[in-house]
Amino acid sequence: MLGWLTGLGLFGSGILSAISNFVFIKPRATYGQPQRFSIGKPDDFPPGVRATLGARGLCVVREGNKIAALSTTCTHLGCIVGVSDSGFACPCHGSRFDQDGTVTGGPAPRPLPWYKVTLAPNGELEVDKDIEITPGSYLSL
Ligand code: FES
């Protein structure tokens, strides 16, 4: 009986050891949101619109049949800029950007990045925030 209980105890500690090894060996890395994602159909962005997608940190700009996506993350310290009459304005330290994201004032050291926009086979627009493109490069619809 005692031998049987001892064997059961050893077996149980082996299982606990295996579980703790799995928990502690498992990488603790976390991965953010996918950087390539759909933002909807072109018709969701009528000509003349400058729509901010807050959760995505983007402003989608459509001029006629051309569409683009600019970052709304300030290049100074990373606050989210808002759309203003003249372009974009950062509420944190006063940086200003024109409609194309070019710095017009404040401490921001670089313009707002433009990201690659493609039209997927399913007809939806996809933005890839891993690929910056030349400012002023629109996708023609
Ligand atoms: S974070 Fe935008 S001006 Fe400082």
Side-chain angles (χ1 to χ4, degrees):
M1 179 72 171
L2 185 60
W4 183 80
L5 285 175
T6 302
L8 186 62
L10 287 174
F11 178 72
S13 70
I15 289 177
L16 284 176
S17 176
I19 290 171
S20 68
N21 282 342
F22 175 75
V23 168
F24 291 112
I25 290 174
K26 186 176 165 186
R28 299 251 180 226
T30 57
Y31 303 97
Q33 292 181 321
Q35 295 301 296
R36 182 179 173 142
F37 47 83
S38 171
I39 57 171
K41 303 258 184 199
D43 289 347
D44 296 338
F45 304 97
V49 78
R50 296 174 68 212
T52 54
L53 306 178
R56 297 291 192 182
L58 288 178
C59 179
V60 179
V61 177
R62 180 164 179 185
E63 295 179 5
N65 281 336
K66 301 183 308 178
I67 200 159
L70 284 74
S71 170
T72 54
T73 302
C74 182
T75 56
H76 180 223
L77 294 179
C79 291
I80 300 300
V81 300
V83 173
S84 70
D85 289 341
S86 58
F88 301 91
C90 184
C92 296
H93 312 104
S95 286
R96 303 261 181 240
F97 305 86
D98 70 11
Q99 308 260 350
D100 291 336
T102 302
V103 178
T104 57
R110 294 180 310 283
L112 298 174
W114 288 49
Y115 297 122
K116 184 171 184 173
V117 181
T118 54
L119 195 56
N122 66 1
E124 294 195 350
L125 295 163
E126 286 186 351
V127 174
D128 191 337
K129 289 181 76 175
D130 285 331
I131 302 176
E132 289 187 25
I133 61 172
T134 305
S137 302
Y138 287 84
L139 169 71
S140 293
L141 298 171

